[in-house]
């Protein structure tokens, strides 16, 4: 049972390049989330999905797109990377109607935009 | 929008003492409040959830309180150990239709010295 797996773990981009972060979970969770974590800012929600084929904007969605074509996967795309998107990105998932509603996080993807 | 403040960026205590971390929030009270632990270079890991109608929750050496009048949650680690050194995050759980869109505080870094 791998839990939540994020790829890649590290990536360096040049301004204007595009890339996709992949999140995969093997817990059959309905809900998936993308957060970014910056020093002094805490975790901020970018986008989330409540089921296959659905996505919604979080607190800081600008500059990002997401897709959830399969229940187990949630992709985060950067179409034209900017230095302000240098951050650590965390994917998380949760179970529908869980007693606790806890989020299961991946280990993070560290992105640097030069 | 909700604002969350965690008492300090860092807290240093001696092994064996009780660590007390504070989480304050503004505006309306969430239905739930969650606490997570995050180690350097790792994703957050869920510790405890407390509901608005619960005043206290315990799990082994951990205790969480929730005071909706004061708009505050306290997180205690009793008989602290160096292995408890980590960053602790509180998160407001604004639950909607079964899924949680968590709003996180910036975290408090706890350092337990032998």
């Amino acid at each position: 049972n791998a839990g939540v797996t994020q790829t890649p773990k590290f990536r360096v981009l040049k301004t204007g390049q595009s890339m996709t972060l992949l999140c995969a979970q093997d817990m059959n969770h309905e809900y998936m989330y993308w957060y970014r974590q910056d020093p002094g800012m805490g975790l901020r929600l970018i986008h989330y999905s409540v089921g296959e084929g659905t996505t919604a904007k979080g607190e800081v969605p600008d500059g990002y797109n997401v897709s959830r074509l399969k229940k187990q996967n949630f992709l985060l795309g950067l179409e034209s990377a900017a230095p302000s998107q240098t951050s650590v990105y965390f994917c998380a998932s949760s179970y529908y109607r869980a007693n606790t509603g806890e989020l299961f996080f991946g280990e993070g993807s560290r992105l640097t935009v030069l | 929008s909700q604002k969350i403040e965690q008492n300090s960026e860092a807290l240093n205590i001696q092994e064996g003492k009780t660590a007390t971390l504070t989480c304050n929030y503004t505006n309306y009270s969430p239905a739930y409040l969650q606490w997570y632990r995050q180690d350097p270079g790792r994703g957050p890991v869920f510790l405890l959830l407390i509901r608005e109608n619960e005043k206290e929750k315990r799990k082994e050496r951990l205790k969480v309180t929730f005071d909706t009048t004061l708009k505050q949650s306290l997180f205690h680690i009793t008989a602290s150990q160096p292995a408890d050194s980590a960053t602790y995050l509180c998160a407001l759980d604004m639950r909607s239709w079964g899924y949680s869109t968590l709003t996180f505080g910036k975290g408090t870094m706890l350092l337990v010295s032998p």
Side-chain angles (χ1 to χ4, degrees):
Chain A
N1 224 5
V4 178
T5 303
Q6 295 182 227
T7 52
K9 290 183 170 45
F10 301 93
R11 185 75 188 268
V12 178
L13 288 178
K14 293 181 180 178
T15 297
Q17 287 185 320
S18 64
M19 75 157 297
T20 300
L21 298 177
L22 171 62
C23 177
Q25 53 96 1
D26 61 3
M27 296 172 282
N28 203 33
H29 285 169
E30 286 82 5
Y31 307 127
M32 296 187 75
Y33 316 81
W34 275 107
Y35 284 86
R36 62 176 289 174
Q37 188 173 40
D38 303 291
M41 297 294 290
L43 283 159
R44 292 181 292 168
L45 183 64
I46 305 171
H47 286 281
Y48 62 98
S49 168
V50 301
E52 183 177 320
T54 70
T55 63
K57 295 180 180 179
E59 180 187 353
V60 289
D62 294 342
Y64 305 96
N65 57 75
V66 287
S67 64
R68 185 130 180 242
L69 299 179
K70 293 183 179 180
K71 185 178 182 179
Q72 64 268 33
N73 296 336
F74 195 28
L75 278 64
L76 178 71
L78 286 72
E79 288 187 351
S80 180
S84 61
Q85 294 178 304
T86 294
S87 186
V88 181
Y89 292 86
F90 288 99
C91 177
S93 68
S94 66
Y95 182 62
Y96 178 58
R97 294 201 189 111
N99 288 334
T100 64
E102 66 183 278
L103 267 60
F104 294 80
F105 283 86
E107 293 298 325
S109 296
R110 185 176 295 274
L111 174 66
T112 301
V113 183
L114 303 175
Chain B
S1 62
Q2 284 279 26
K3 290 187 179 179
I4 308 168
E5 286 190 5
Q6 296 193 239
N7 56 326
S8 58
E9 288 190 5
L11 180 64
N12 293 296
I13 64 167
Q14 275 201 312
E15 183 175 8
K17 302 290 186 184
T18 295
T20 298
L21 285 64
T22 304
C23 178
N24 295 296
Y25 59 91
T26 60
N27 300 334
Y28 45 89
S29 290
Y32 309 81
L33 194 144
Q34 300 189 23
W35 283 88
Y36 287 76
R37 169 182 172 142
Q38 186 174 23
D39 292 289
R42 308 295 297 275
V45 175
F46 172 79
L47 294 174
L48 280 169
L49 173 144
I50 188 165
R51 295 173 174 80
E52 62 179 340
N53 60 354
E54 296 176 320
K55 292 208 178 296
E56 183 179 299
K57 199 77 165 284
R58 290 176 186 262
K59 179 183 176 183
E60 299 172 351
R61 294 184 295 110
L62 309 180
K63 185 178 84 171
V64 174
T65 63
F66 193 7
D67 189 327
T68 55
T69 301
L70 294 178
K71 297 186 188 296
Q72 180 181 80
S73 175
L74 298 179
F75 178 82
H76 306 273
I77 306 176
T78 59
S80 59
Q81 305 165 359
D84 295 326
S85 298
T87 295
Y88 292 86
L89 310 173
C90 76
L92 304 186
D93 184 345
M94 310 307 297
R95 193 159 302 189
S96 174
W97 299 101
Y99 63 91
S100 302
T101 54
L102 301 185
T103 301
F104 284 86
K106 296 177 183 179
T108 298
M109 185 183 300
L110 174 66
L111 179 60
V112 182
S113 304

